[in-house]
Amino acid sequence: MDLKFLQELIMPAHTKIAMLIMDGLGGLPLEPGGKTELETAITPNLDALAALSALGLTVPVGPGITVESGPGHLALFGYDPLQYRIGRGVLEAVGLDIDLEPSDVAVRGNYSTVDGAGMVTDRRARRIPSEVSRELSALLTTRIEDVEFQVRTVREHRLAIVMRGPGLSSDVTGSDPLKNDHPPLPLQARTPQAEKTARLLNQFVERARLVMEAYTPKPPANMLLLRGFDKHPDLPAFPQIYGLRAAAIAVYPTYRGIAKLVGMQVLPVEGGTAADEFTVLEKNWGDFDFFYLHIKETDLAGEDGDFARKVGIIEEVDALIPRLMALNPDVVIVSGDHSTPAVLKGHSWHPVPTLLYGRHVRADSIAEFGERACGRGSLGIFPAKHIMPIALANALRLAKFSA
Amino acid sequence: MDLKFLQELIMPAHTKIAMLIMDGLGGLPLEPGGKTELETAITPNLDALAALSALGLTVPVGPGITVESGPGHLALFGYDPLQYRIGRGVLEAVGLDIDLEPSDVAVRGNYSTVDGAGMVTDRRARRIPSEVSRELSALLTTRIEDVEFQVRTVREHRLAIVMRGPGLSSDVTGSDPLKNDHPPLPLQARTPQAEKTARLLNQFVERARLVMEAYTPKPPANMLLLRGFDKHPDLPAFPQIYGLRAAAIAVYPTYRGIAKLVGMQVLPVEGGTAADEFTVLEKNWGDFDFFYLHIKETDLAGEDGDFARKVGIIEEVDALIPRLMALNPDVVIVSGDHSTPAVLKGHSWHPVPTLLYGRHVRADSIAEFGERACGRGSLGIFPAKHIMPIALANALRLAKFSA
């Protein structure tokens, strides 16, 4: 069942769908037999909503596979993340709010150090401070022949480079040896069409080396390592596939970027709290059919290994649920793009608790939103990419399949 | 896992499988938190059977997808409904008990009205009474050159036409503009092989127009609109794939037709009640290995929005279960081809409650047959096309896979 099949069944309706994503929602207990972050959180509003919902556990990409935000979100939006891929260079660039043009090439880069013999001594240049990194990136931004190189620091040693100009190709091999004590690899064209790109990239790297050498005081990096060359992924547009006027409400650039890549309208958010996001939802409720609302802090707390903070953020979001329900949405999804258990201090492969509310949903009568409650739900354990067709059906937006 | 793979594992046995399909079995509560039709029905026999069974919820075609009977039944019989499709013209024809030959072309048609300017004024000719429709269809049945046109009323304005003769192709575009206030479209060949078919169809439509014009009293229709050209789908034969002598017990022509298309032997049923069907089952028990028994009334009650009537029919079927169990079947499946919640007055996308009984089934010990009970069952939520391999295994009819 692909997007084309689904698109042929789409029919218009006046229903509204809200998708609330708590990043890294799924968790683990601190002790065997204990409760997860979501199970520990006191969530009367989500529990009441669960009682009227179908519950299940979503698998972002495949069993056992831990995902980054890119594939995790593509799945939530109904795209097979193994078929549709967003290159890392592109993800870094859109995460910095750079508007990519179809002919641009986005690159992921590292500030690093090499010794006198040209061997990489530290691929991350001792995690060079972001302030220094930003200063260097401004100096490295340049134009060679008819191609602009926009260099932007992501954080510390990590940077994104966007090449803009005629005749560029992403078919270039990277220079990052991916381990220390090896020399940087030559940037080489994989196809004749990529020769100009490779030639300019080598000039760019040599210029960067000279700029860093000439810089005073001596900077903590003296080399650039590049990889992850990509163009805009040109994904089928979410509003066109599903016939939905779609809005994204997210504070963090990466998620605003992913939403933009699938063609959602990204709404401005004043302030950075979950409550601020709900205010944007309320203000724009009349103008869209689909709302993607993203909460980042659950994931950050999980990455920091801060179980209690993750619990607190879930409780904060729970307190906002009545504001969503007061809008009388036809279908509500509450889920995450992946799990980030505090105990693991990072993303994990664990299926993600998922709630589907709607007046035509066959509710499970389980008055609890948590990992084990969702494990007993009638949605079962299912691919995250199935959420959208199920939500569309419940919004009465899919015609009957009659062969 | 395709049919060919399965066929290679088939081994003979003396076991018998009964598949009891209540059309549109799945439902929804009338009020949030209430019970569905099946949950409301008092079903002591099905509940007792459930206690000895594995339970689950089946998805006919894909998540969120609402199906017609055709794809719903193909899935129950183990055919991937996205791979194997029965065209609508064919479904109408087999539903009228017309034996299609491989070279026949089946067409779906509408009696309709056009105005003096040739614009369609009513695609359904005010739902022309079936008696009038049948009289016209008899008059339109004809032969042009070496091709017979058999015209048969399905109901009201809906008709099925079967073309029989040499050199026919279904690669013809339809004439139905699918909305009023547009002229009928020309019937055109999509390939050179279809030119004869298109030419004869245009002559047939012109002749039909003249017949209706000359008819007294003036009939409520003056035009035919045609679409859905198809040949016999030539599906792999159910008895050959599975090594089962397979019988179908169904009253309604559509289901008799689908069973015939997959090569089952369709048994005559005297009378039209569920009890009459069980009598046919008893009489023929010794002669077949697989029985498909179809109950239509659950779906009709659902389509009519009659919750109580659907409950009553389920209870009526429940009372017949002891007659089935008295035959000592090795494997019993009780399921539906899709859901038809009375509250939605139509087919829906909701997964279908499914019960699998057999002496080697790992029973769930859930003594209840209903949507939520099945949602807790160990079969989980699974594609309907998986029912057949699981049933065959439980009937000890599948050899070990050793690569």
Side-chain angles (χ1 to χ4, degrees):
Chain A
M1 217 179 79
D2 57 12
L3 289 176
K4 203 175 143 60
F5 173 78
L6 208 58
Q7 188 171 10
E8 283 170 11
L9 296 176
I10 292 292
M11 58 182 195
H14 292 289
T15 49
K16 287 181 193 290
I17 302 172
M19 177 183 274
L20 170 61
I21 298 304
M22 284 184 260
D23 206 296
L25 177 62
L28 283 174
L30 289 173
E31 303 286 340
K35 290 182 173 183
T36 67
E37 296 91 323
L38 179 58
E39 290 169 345
T40 302
I42 296 168
T43 54
N45 297 302
L46 284 167
D47 292 347
L49 192 59
L52 303 172
S53 300
L55 303 180
L57 292 167
T58 47
V59 177
V61 162
I65 306 302
T66 298
V67 297
E68 284 277 13
S69 297
H73 271 80
L74 282 185
L76 290 171
F77 298 154
Y79 300 73
D80 184 338
L82 293 178
Q83 179 184 354
Y84 299 101
R85 303 205 182 188
I86 305 178
R88 192 69 208 192
V90 168
L91 208 57
E92 298 287 25
V94 301
L96 292 166
D97 264 341
I98 300 173
D99 272 321
L100 283 183
E101 292 179 8
S103 57
D104 292 351
V105 169
V107 191
R108 176 186 192 179
N110 271 18
Y111 284 110
S112 62
T113 53
V114 292
D115 63 17
M119 291 294 174
V120 174
T121 47
D122 187 347
R123 284 184 60 248
R124 301 192 176 85
R126 281 178 224 97
R127 294 190 181 274
I128 165 175
S130 296
E131 312 83 71
V132 180
S133 177
R134 278 194 211 99
E135 215 171 303
L136 286 177
S137 294
L139 290 172
L140 299 192
T141 292
T142 188
R143 183 187 179 94
I144 303 178
E145 295 178 12
D146 52 3
V147 174
E148 285 170 34
F149 288 75
Q150 186 180 353
V151 184
R152 295 275 296 274
T153 292
V154 176
R155 204 174 64 181
E156 297 171 344
H157 57 285
R158 283 166 52 199
L159 53 97
I161 302 165
V162 174
M163 300 174 71
R164 179 165 296 168
L168 296 177
S169 160
S170 60
D171 239 349
V172 175
T173 61
S175 65
D176 190 338
L178 297 176
K179 46 190 167 188
N180 294 336
D181 301 323
H182 286 71
L185 305 169
L187 292 151
Q188 286 178 324
R190 279 208 188 91
T191 61
Q193 289 73 36
E195 273 166 20
K196 171 182 175 180
T197 312
R199 178 172 55 79
L200 295 186
L201 275 167
N202 280 307
Q203 289 181 31
F204 168 76
V205 169
E206 176 57 14
R207 179 186 173 279
R209 202 184 59 73
L210 295 173
V211 167
M212 287 188 275
E213 198 174 272
Y215 189 79
T216 35
K218 196 165 171 257
N222 63 0
M223 178 52 81
L224 281 190
L225 297 176
L226 306 183
R227 59 183 164 135
F229 304 87
D230 283 296
K231 289 194 170 190
H232 190 291
D234 198 23
L235 301 163
F238 185 99
Q240 273 68 62
I241 301 166
Y242 300 127
L244 294 168
R245 295 170 302 165
I249 304 173
V251 173
Y252 270 64
T254 303
Y255 308 92
R256 300 170 66 83
I258 296 170
K260 206 183 289 174
L261 284 176
V262 299
M264 291 187 193
Q265 188 167 330
V266 180
L267 302 178
V269 181
E270 279 186 53
T273 68
D276 294 329
E277 295 193 335
F278 278 71
T279 301
V280 175
L281 178 74
E282 288 163 341
K283 281 194 186 151
N284 292 275
W285 187 251
D287 298 332
F288 296 92
D289 311 307
F290 178 91
F291 293 86
Y292 153 61
L293 198 152
H294 179 263
I295 307 289
K296 176 65 178 171
E297 283 70 19
T298 30
D299 180 57
L300 296 178
E303 297 245 9
D304 289 347
D306 193 337
F307 189 97
R309 199 172 102 226
K310 192 170 165 194
V311 170
I313 295 156
I314 293 169
E315 293 181 347
E316 188 188 321
V317 173
D318 181 77
L320 294 165
I321 295 294
R323 289 176 60 182
L324 165 60
M325 298 314 292
L327 298 168
N328 198 23
D330 296 281
V331 174
V332 174
I333 301 129
V334 183
S335 187
D337 54 345
H338 52 73
S339 292
T340 308
V343 76
L344 289 179
K345 293 189 183 180
H347 294 194
S348 79
W349 60 92
H350 300 87
V352 185
T354 298
L355 170 162
L356 178 82
Y357 161 87
R359 66 196 65 185
H360 306 300
V361 166
R362 192 190 280 153
D364 294 327
S365 308
I366 300 174
E368 189 194 340
F369 187 47
E371 281 81 353
R372 271 163 284 205
C374 288
R376 296 195 305 272
S378 66
L379 292 176
I381 182 165
F382 68 108
K385 68 177 177 177
H386 290 175
I387 290 179
M388 276 306 298
I390 298 172
L392 289 163
N394 279 284
L396 304 182
R397 286 176 171 272
L398 285 183
K400 191 155 54 176
F401 172 63
S402 63
Chain B
M1 212 176 81
D2 59 10
L3 291 175
K4 202 175 144 59
F5 172 78
L6 211 56
Q7 188 170 10
E8 284 169 11
L9 297 178
I10 292 291
M11 56 182 199
H14 293 289
T15 50
K16 288 184 192 289
I17 303 172
M19 177 184 275
L20 170 60
I21 298 305
M22 287 184 257
D23 205 296
L25 177 62
L28 283 175
L30 288 173
E31 303 286 339
K35 290 181 171 183
T36 67
E37 296 90 326
L38 179 58
E39 290 169 346
T40 303
I42 295 167
T43 54
N45 297 303
L46 284 167
D47 293 346
L49 192 59
L52 304 172
S53 299
L55 304 180
L57 293 167
T58 47
V59 176
V61 162
I65 305 302
T66 298
V67 296
E68 287 277 14
S69 297
H73 270 80
L74 283 185
L76 289 171
F77 297 154
Y79 300 74
D80 183 338
L82 293 177
Q83 180 184 353
Y84 299 101
R85 302 199 184 194
I86 306 178
R88 192 69 207 191
V90 169
L91 209 57
E92 298 285 26
V94 301
L96 291 165
D97 265 340
I98 300 174
D99 273 322
L100 283 183
E101 293 180 6
S103 57
D104 292 351
V105 169
V107 191
R108 176 187 193 181
N110 272 18
Y111 283 112
S112 62
T113 54
V114 292
D115 63 17
M119 291 295 174
V120 174
T121 47
D122 187 348
R123 287 183 58 247
R124 301 191 176 85
R126 281 179 223 94
R127 294 190 180 275
I128 169 175
S130 297
E131 313 84 70
V132 180
S133 178
R134 277 193 211 99
E135 216 171 303
L136 287 177
S137 295
L139 290 172
L140 299 191
T141 291
T142 187
R143 183 187 178 93
I144 303 178
E145 296 179 12
D146 53 2
V147 173
E148 286 171 34
F149 288 77
Q150 185 179 357
V151 184
R152 294 275 296 277
T153 292
V154 177
R155 203 174 64 182
E156 299 171 342
H157 57 283
R158 282 166 52 196
L159 52 97
I161 302 166
V162 173
M163 301 174 70
R164 180 166 296 169
L168 296 177
S169 160
S170 61
D171 239 349
V172 176
T173 62
S175 65
D176 190 338
L178 298 177
K179 46 191 165 190
N180 294 336
D181 302 322
H182 286 71
L185 305 169
L187 293 151
Q188 287 177 322
R190 279 210 189 89
T191 60
Q193 289 72 35
E195 273 167 19
K196 171 182 175 181
T197 312
R199 179 172 56 80
L200 295 185
L201 275 167
N202 280 307
Q203 289 180 31
F204 168 75
V205 169
E206 176 58 14
R207 178 185 174 280
R209 203 184 59 75
L210 294 173
V211 168
M212 288 190 272
E213 197 172 272
Y215 189 79
T216 36
K218 197 167 169 260
N222 62 2
M223 179 52 79
L224 280 189
L225 297 175
L226 306 183
R227 60 183 162 136
F229 304 88
D230 284 294
K231 290 195 169 189
H232 191 293
D234 196 22
L235 301 164
F238 185 100
Q240 272 67 62
I241 301 166
Y242 300 126
L244 294 167
R245 297 170 299 164
I249 304 172
V251 174
Y252 271 63
T254 302
Y255 309 93
R256 300 170 65 83
I258 297 171
K260 205 182 290 173
L261 284 177
V262 299
M264 291 186 194
Q265 187 166 333
V266 181
L267 302 177
V269 181
E270 280 186 53
T273 68
D276 295 329
E277 295 192 335
F278 277 72
T279 301
V280 176
L281 179 73
E282 288 161 342
K283 281 194 186 154
N284 292 275
W285 188 252
D287 298 332
F288 297 92
D289 311 305
F290 178 91
F291 293 86
Y292 153 62
L293 197 151
H294 179 261
I295 308 288
K296 177 64 179 171
E297 283 71 18
T298 29
D299 179 57
L300 296 178
E303 296 247 9
D304 289 347
D306 195 335
F307 190 98
R309 199 172 102 226
K310 192 170 165 192
V311 169
I313 295 156
I314 294 169
E315 291 180 348
E316 189 186 318
V317 173
D318 181 76
L320 295 165
I321 295 293
R323 289 177 59 184
L324 164 59
M325 298 314 293
L327 298 168
N328 198 22
D330 296 280
V331 175
V332 175
I333 300 129
V334 183
S335 188
D337 54 344
H338 52 74
S339 291
T340 308
V343 76
L344 288 179
K345 292 188 183 180
H347 296 192
S348 79
W349 61 91
H350 298 88
V352 185
T354 298
L355 171 161
L356 178 82
Y357 161 86
R359 69 196 63 186
H360 307 301
V361 166
R362 191 190 284 151
D364 294 328
S365 309
I366 300 174
E368 189 195 339
F369 187 46
E371 282 82 351
R372 270 163 286 204
C374 288
R376 297 194 304 272
S378 67
L379 292 176
I381 180 166
F382 68 107
K385 67 176 177 178
H386 292 174
I387 290 178
M388 277 305 299
I390 298 173
L392 289 162
N394 279 285
L396 305 183
R397 285 176 171 272
L398 285 184
K400 191 153 53 175
F401 171 63
S402 62

